[in-house]
């Protein structure tokens, strides 16, 4: 059974602004190796993602993020859809962009394009030939499944995956099918990379990327106001029966303040948590496969369920931190001492390595995002509730400290929403979508474990 996606978006097809510059068969997808080409893709997508940040600062931030360990060593690739070197524009486009003014020194209207693309040319007339662009990040992953054909009973593989981001086409080139062509060609490139799965976050609804190999997954969130009054976690009663009104009135309440927390400061502390998280994830995946086998035995059926997860790694959390740090320092201009003393990775239960909440300060969208949240599954419900409330209280204080208007937790456990008395909402943006690469396994039987914000980029 595939994960349910409740979000439905109706989109009205837009009309192109003019004839298509190039035929699909004259376009190719290439890796951008020239810095001018990469920077032009940033300039092109500013109207979507800069959100008021001036061009020099936006470029500087993207360059800074591209230099992080998460993006370096060819993990980050910028792809551009461009005309073949020997291609030329369509006759309809040529006619529509040729001036009839006999006094004009240039027969081409404005910045209309002509000819093919040169991968080594960083001049503006060549860069205008970028029809669309997309980024990919190579990331570690895990795949778990029931063994077959003599394999061990539970198979857990450490694999590579590809995260797809920054899918964008300049408005003047839209509605000619170039975006769809780019994603089709990108899937073919991903198949050559030797990765096991790929994922992205759709802002075009749950169906658009299905045509190319990515299927939409659970897309929910809970939004926690920083000023919301939190409930108290009850101490366990001796009886499992429902308490009557008098007992509820007189019972003792455990305060979230009884949980001792400490900030996650520095890379060494972060790495300890993330490495432990990855190890526990491996155990979780094996357990999920084992449980699936038991279900199959009871129902006398055989499923081919595949469990996948993006491996938590220190580089991705450092990338989020670098993004927040740059925005705080260079764009929003916060006080330097506040940044140095107060911009942390998150919090953990004091003295533990497996109970923590890691977050991201999104100053652009005014959110404190929960990137990763872990509470020991062996805790009693009462203890787990106390820790959860302590984490939420700490997040509220963090959001207030940085004047962020809300705390957002993607695909949180519904038990947390129930504890807080909050609604589980379905997102119509950043819809996680997953695809298995070079696999005959049914995509309907894929389950994404730890589908949380840390996977986004």
């Amino acid at each position: 059974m595939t994960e349910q996606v409740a979000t439905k978006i109706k989109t009205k097809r837009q009309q192109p602004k003019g004839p298509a510059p190039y035929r699909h068969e004259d376009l190719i997808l290439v890796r951008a190796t020239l810095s001018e080409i990469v920077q032009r893709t940033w300039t092109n997508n500013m109207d979507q993602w800069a959100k008021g940040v001036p061009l020099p600062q936006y470029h500087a931030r993207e360059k800074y993020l591209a230099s992080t360990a998460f993006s370096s060593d060819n993990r980050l690739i910028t792809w551009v859809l461009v005309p073949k070197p020997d291609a030329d524009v369509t006759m309809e486009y040529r006619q529509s962009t040729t001036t009839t003014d006999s006094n004009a020194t240039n027969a081409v209207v404005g910045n209309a394009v002509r000819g093919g693309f040169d991968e080594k040319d960083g001049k503006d007339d060549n860069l205008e030939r970028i029809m669309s662009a997309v980024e990919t990040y190579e990331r570690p992953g895990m795949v778990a499944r029931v063994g077959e054909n003599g394999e061990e009973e539970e198979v857990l593989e450490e694999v590579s995956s590809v995260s797809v981001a920054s899918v964008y086409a300049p408005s003047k080139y839209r509605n000619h099918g170039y975006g769809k062509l780019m994603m089709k060609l990108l899937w073919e490139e991903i198949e050559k990379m030797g990765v096991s799965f790929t994922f992205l976050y759709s802002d075009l609804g749950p169906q658009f990327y299905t045509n190319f190999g990515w299927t939409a997954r659970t897309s929910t969130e809970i939004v926690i106001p920083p000023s919301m009054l939190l409930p108290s976690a009850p101490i366990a009663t001796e009886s499992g029966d429902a308490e009557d009104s008098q007992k509820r009135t007189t019972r003792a309440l455990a305060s979230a303040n009884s949980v001792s927390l400490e900030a996650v400061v520095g890379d060494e502390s972060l790495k300890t948590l993330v490495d432990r998280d990855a190890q526990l994830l491996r155990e979780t995946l094996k357990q999920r496969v084992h449980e699936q086998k038991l279900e199959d035995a009871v129902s006398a059926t055989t499923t081919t369920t595949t469990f996948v997860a993006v491996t938590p790694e220190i580089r991705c959390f450092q990338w989020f931190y670098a993004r927040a740090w740059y925005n705080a320092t260079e764009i929003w201009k916060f006080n330097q001492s506040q940044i140095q003393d107060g911009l942390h990775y998150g919090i953990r239960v004091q003295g533990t390595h497996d109970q923590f909440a890691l977050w991201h300060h999104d100053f652009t969208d005014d959110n404190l995002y929960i990137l990763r949240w872990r509470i020991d599954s062996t805790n009693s419900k009462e203890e787990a509730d106390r820790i959860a409330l302590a984490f939420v209280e700490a997040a509220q204080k963090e959001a207030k400290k940085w004047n962020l208007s809300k705390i957002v937790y993607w695909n949180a456990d519904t038990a947390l929403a129930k504890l807080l008395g909050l609604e589980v909402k379905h997102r119509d943006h950043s819809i996680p979508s997953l695809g298995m690469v070079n696999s005959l396994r049914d995509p309907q039987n894929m389950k994404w474990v730890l589908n949380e914000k840390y996977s986004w980029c």
Side-chain angles (χ1 to χ4, degrees):
M1 178 83 58
T2 187
E3 299 167 55
Q4 182 179 3
V5 178
T7 305
K8 292 184 179 180
I9 298 176
K10 293 183 179 179
T11 57
K12 184 177 180 181
R13 177 160 178 80
Q14 301 291 321
Q15 294 299 316
K17 294 184 177 181
Y22 296 95
R23 301 179 304 167
H24 282 200
E25 54 265 40
D26 290 331
L27 296 171
I28 55 176
L29 188 67
V30 301
R31 298 187 183 198
T33 56
L34 201 66
S35 61
E36 289 87 349
I37 296 175
V38 173
Q39 290 170 21
R40 175 54 68 93
T41 68
W42 299 339
T43 300
N44 288 348
N45 66 38
M46 276 193 66
D47 64 329
Q48 184 72 26
W49 293 304
K51 299 185 178 180
V53 176
L55 185 145
Q57 291 173 302
Y58 184 65
H59 274 216
R61 186 188 73 185
E62 296 306 297
K63 185 176 181 180
Y64 174 69
L65 292 175
S67 69
T68 63
F70 180 70
S71 307
S72 58
D73 296 331
N74 294 319
R75 291 185 184 89
L76 166 61
I77 300 174
T78 299
W79 304 83
V80 289
L81 185 74
V82 295
K84 297 175 182 176
D86 58 351
D88 203 354
V89 296
T90 63
M91 184 60 68
E92 295 82 0
Y93 178 83
R94 179 179 293 277
Q95 292 174 347
S96 70
T97 56
T98 299
T99 182
T100 57
D101 185 353
S102 59
N103 295 322
T105 57
N106 189 343
V108 179
V109 174
N111 57 357
V113 293
R114 295 288 189 269
F117 186 80
D118 183 351
E119 297 180 37
K120 300 184 182 302
D121 183 357
K123 296 178 181 177
D124 282 343
D125 60 344
N126 187 57
L127 300 179
E128 285 291 334
R129 301 183 184 113
I130 299 174
M131 300 292 105
S132 59
V134 61
E135 295 175 346
T136 58
Y137 292 80
E138 184 177 351
R139 304 182 65 172
M142 301 181 195
V143 174
R145 56 181 172 80
V146 176
E148 53 191 30
N149 299 327
E151 294 178 319
E152 295 182 6
E153 291 188 353
E154 290 110 22
V155 175
L156 175 65
E157 299 174 295
E158 305 279 349
V159 301
S160 291
S161 69
V162 165
S163 175
V164 178
S166 302
V167 179
Y168 187 82
S171 59
K172 61 183 177 181
Y173 297 140
R174 292 177 190 169
N175 305 303
H176 296 301
Y178 292 159
K180 293 179 180 179
L181 174 62
M182 179 175 70
M183 298 311 296
K184 175 180 177 293
L185 296 176
L186 179 63
W187 184 273
E188 294 173 0
E189 292 293 336
I190 291 175
E191 287 183 320
K192 302 173 187 176
M193 295 181 181
V195 301
S196 294
F197 65 92
T198 174
F199 58 99
L200 53 78
Y201 292 83
S202 172
D203 288 329
L204 299 175
Q207 298 301 322
F208 179 81
Y209 292 101
T210 301
N211 299 321
F212 314 107
W214 292 271
T215 56
R217 302 284 144 173
T218 301
S219 180
T220 63
E221 66 184 19
I222 60 173
V223 178
I224 306 170
S227 58
M228 186 183 82
L229 183 63
L230 299 181
S232 296
I235 293 176
T237 58
E238 293 182 2
S239 170
D241 297 333
E243 296 174 289
D244 59 27
S245 176
Q246 183 178 1
K247 288 182 179 179
R248 285 197 299 270
T249 303
T250 59
R251 68 183 179 176
L253 295 177
S255 169
N257 292 329
S258 65
V259 179
S260 297
L261 302 179
E262 58 186 357
V264 180
V265 181
D267 290 345
E268 184 177 350
S269 177
L270 175 66
K271 188 175 188 305
T272 300
L273 296 184
V274 174
D275 288 350
R276 177 60 176 161
D277 193 27
Q279 182 56 44
L280 291 172
L281 174 58
R282 294 180 182 94
E283 296 174 11
T284 297
L285 290 173
K286 289 179 181 178
Q287 181 63 28
R288 295 288 293 273
V289 172
H290 180 69
E291 292 170 355
Q292 185 65 57
K293 286 177 60 182
L294 294 179
E295 290 180 18
D296 290 349
V298 171
S299 61
T301 60
T302 300
T303 63
T304 56
T305 302
T306 302
F307 300 92
V308 306
V310 180
T311 305
E313 57 164 342
I314 187 173
R315 291 179 300 208
C316 87
F317 294 100
Q318 290 172 326
W319 181 86
F320 275 106
Y321 181 87
R323 188 182 185 92
W325 179 88
Y326 192 91
N327 284 337
T329 303
E330 301 298 330
I331 296 176
W332 296 98
K333 305 292 185 180
F334 285 107
N335 182 278
Q336 283 294 324
S337 61
Q338 181 185 5
I339 295 171
Q340 293 173 0
D341 297 337
L343 194 64
H344 303 317
Y345 287 113
I347 43 87
R348 67 176 178 179
V349 175
Q350 191 172 34
T352 71
H353 301 308
D354 54 5
Q355 302 196 95
F356 56 84
L358 301 177
W359 50 51
H360 168 57
H361 304 77
D362 187 344
F363 298 113
T364 303
D365 286 338
D366 196 22
N367 298 325
L368 181 71
Y369 276 110
I370 302 297
L371 297 178
R372 183 74 188 94
W373 170 292
R374 177 179 281 283
I375 296 176
D376 190 347
S377 60
T378 64
N379 286 336
S380 67
K381 182 181 184 305
E382 289 72 23
E383 179 66 12
D385 284 351
R386 281 195 292 274
I387 295 172
L389 289 172
F391 284 176
V392 173
E393 185 180 39
Q396 288 180 311
K397 292 178 180 177
E398 188 71 12
K400 289 178 182 178
K401 180 172 70 175
W402 294 97
N403 199 30
L404 297 170
S405 67
K406 56 187 178 295
I407 301 153
V408 182
Y409 185 2
W410 284 4
N411 297 326
D413 191 325
T414 55
L416 178 62
K418 184 177 180 180
L419 174 66
L420 299 175
L422 293 173
E423 177 188 3
V424 176
K425 299 180 179 180
H426 290 275
R427 290 197 315 278
D428 61 3
H429 63 91
S430 296
I431 300 170
S433 304
L434 177 68
M436 297 297 290
V437 181
N438 294 319
S439 174
L440 298 177
R441 290 180 173 264
D442 186 353
Q444 300 299 315
N445 287 330
M446 294 185 299
K447 294 187 178 181
W448 188 341
V449 181
L450 296 194
N451 180 3
E452 298 181 22
K453 176 73 174 181
Y454 79 94
S455 298
W456 179 93
C457 61

